[in-house]
Amino acid sequence: MSLQSRPVSLLGSSGAIGSLLQLSLKPSPVPLLRKPWRSLNITQGAQSAVRFDGVEPSRAPAESLVVLICKSYDVMAAVSTLPTTAPVLILSNGLVPLIRPLQEFRREGALFMGSTTVGAGKVSDLDSGDGVREIEVKENGRGQTILGCVGDVGDDSAESIAHLSNFQAQMTAASFPTSVVDPPVLMKALWMKMFLNCLINPSCTIKGTRNEEAKMDTKLLDECLAVQRVIDPNVTIDQKEVTKLFDEVVEKTGKNKNSMMQDILAGRKTEIDFLTGFIRRIGEEHGVDVSRSRELEQQVKTLEFHRLGE
């Protein structure tokens, strides 16, 4: 099978980033849709709607790399719906807490993970009532995307790596800067992404502000680093490099409302359990002071409770 002929399926293609990739990648990924939707009509800006007819996840096309983009709390359930031999790439927030469970659960087929700073939001999202979901998506930025294996996750055969390289080529051709990296580099990137989500999302959500209002919380960063060093000492991250990346992301995404705030505003469950909630749980298990993480987790859960109850 040639590089160009390797298919890609997209599970989570009805989310903002998934919808953007569905429109942008060529050839278009096969959308894996769970009921009640059979098809997606996706638009971006002034362009005409593009229709994508979906396939049940359990019937993902043979030889297809399944790219999974969904909320972290849905990852395990989503993976369980896929053929056991399908190679899977997960591009979700809060992946660090999921690494070990996924390693234990998925013993067949290749399992890859990635970190992306591609930004997107929905302008509208409507159920037309006939099994078609009407989505208008807006692009908010094209940051770097990195892909790879984490430690001994999955099968590293040449065939599996070829799927990953093919997806990298498709992303690059669509002007999304993407690279495949070694496991230690990817693991560090996943931690850095988690730190940024912990440092930006809860505080801005609680205050109701955009990313440009985010301020470095050194107490929270110290807690995050302490927990990372306890459970993943092979990864070396210092405060200065996190602070540098934090400043860069805040500057580039200043006008954005982070995904946690968007969840609260839409009355959806947040990913707090996989961010500061995870830092709090691990810290308590190992005697690390995680009082700031606990405070933010409780405040976000209070907001979540009230919004879900409306």
Side-chain angles (χ1 to χ4, degrees):
M1 182 181 294
S2 68
L3 186 67
Q4 290 76 16
S5 67
R6 295 176 190 276
V8 171
S9 297
L10 195 55
L11 180 56
S13 49
S14 57
I17 295 177
S19 297
L20 178 63
L21 295 185
Q22 191 74 54
L23 280 176
S24 303
L25 299 184
K26 306 299 178 192
S28 298
V30 175
L32 304 180
L33 301 179
R34 287 169 285 183
K35 295 178 180 178
W37 299 288
R38 295 190 303 272
S39 301
L40 302 174
N41 282 348
I42 305 177
T43 61
Q44 183 183 2
Q47 75 176 60
S48 300
V50 180
R51 182 178 177 120
F52 301 97
D53 293 323
V55 175
E56 285 286 331
S58 61
R59 298 181 179 180
E63 305 301 326
S64 161
L65 171 69
V66 178
V67 180
L68 173 58
I69 308 175
C70 66
K71 295 297 183 182
S72 49
Y73 48 76
D74 284 333
V75 166
M76 291 298 295
V79 170
S80 70
T81 68
L82 299 171
T84 57
T85 57
V88 178
L89 166 64
I90 304 174
L91 293 174
S92 298
N93 287 333
L95 284 182
V96 170
L98 289 166
I99 291 173
R100 182 53 56 189
L102 283 165
Q103 284 176 321
E104 295 173 352
F105 174 77
R106 189 168 176 82
R107 299 183 183 278
E108 295 183 69
L111 178 59
F112 304 107
M113 294 186 181
S115 174
T116 184
T117 52
V118 171
K122 289 183 182 178
V123 177
S124 62
D125 186 350
L126 302 172
D127 184 350
S128 67
D130 59 358
V132 179
R133 192 165 177 176
E134 307 278 351
I135 297 170
E136 183 177 356
V137 66
K138 177 183 178 182
E139 182 179 331
N140 293 330
R142 298 196 174 196
Q144 181 72 26
T145 298
I146 64 171
L147 317 170
C149 297
V150 179
D152 59 354
V153 176
D155 177 7
D156 63 352
S157 68
E159 180 70 15
S160 298
I161 295 300
H163 278 292
L164 203 61
S165 297
N166 178 70
F167 182 69
Q168 175 198 14
Q170 286 183 267
M171 290 283 283
T172 301
S175 299
F176 295 101
T178 303
S179 57
V180 176
V181 299
D182 293 333
V185 178
L186 178 63
M187 194 67 240
K188 181 171 182 176
L190 294 180
W191 274 110
M192 294 285 278
K193 178 73 178 293
M194 183 174 183
F195 291 167
L196 291 178
N197 284 331
C198 288
L199 290 163
I200 296 173
N201 294 12
S203 61
C204 286
T205 298
I206 292 163
K207 296 174 185 176
T209 57
R210 297 178 187 269
N211 289 2
E212 61 189 352
E213 299 294 325
K215 305 296 181 185
M216 172 53 70
D217 186 331
T218 55
K219 175 69 168 64
L220 177 61
L221 177 55
D222 286 343
E223 293 178 9
C224 290
L225 288 169
V227 166
Q228 176 263 309
R229 289 164 185 160
V230 165
I231 65 174
D232 200 358
N234 293 326
V235 175
T236 302
I237 303 174
D238 64 42
Q239 192 178 74
K240 288 183 179 179
E241 60 186 328
V242 179
T243 300
K244 181 177 181 292
L245 184 58
F246 173 89
D247 291 339
E248 292 172 355
V249 170
V250 168
E251 181 179 358
K252 290 179 181 178
T253 67
K255 300 302 179 183
N256 293 355
K257 293 179 181 178
N258 69 72
S259 59
M260 184 175 289
M261 185 188 300
Q262 293 181 46
D263 288 339
I264 289 291
L265 293 174
R268 295 189 296 259
K269 183 179 178 181
T270 72
E271 296 175 296
I272 192 68
D273 288 340
F274 293 83
L275 300 173
T276 52
F278 174 73
I279 297 297
R280 188 267 306 165
R281 291 192 303 276
I282 299 301
E284 289 176 346
E285 290 175 9
H286 292 273
V288 176
D289 176 15
V290 285
S291 54
R292 181 60 176 153
S293 299
R294 185 184 304 111
E295 178 186 7
L296 291 170
E297 179 191 14
Q298 291 172 346
Q299 290 178 341
V300 170
K301 282 187 173 291
T302 297
L303 286 175
E304 186 180 84
F305 174 79
H306 287 298
R307 294 294 298 203
L308 287 171
E310 289 181 356

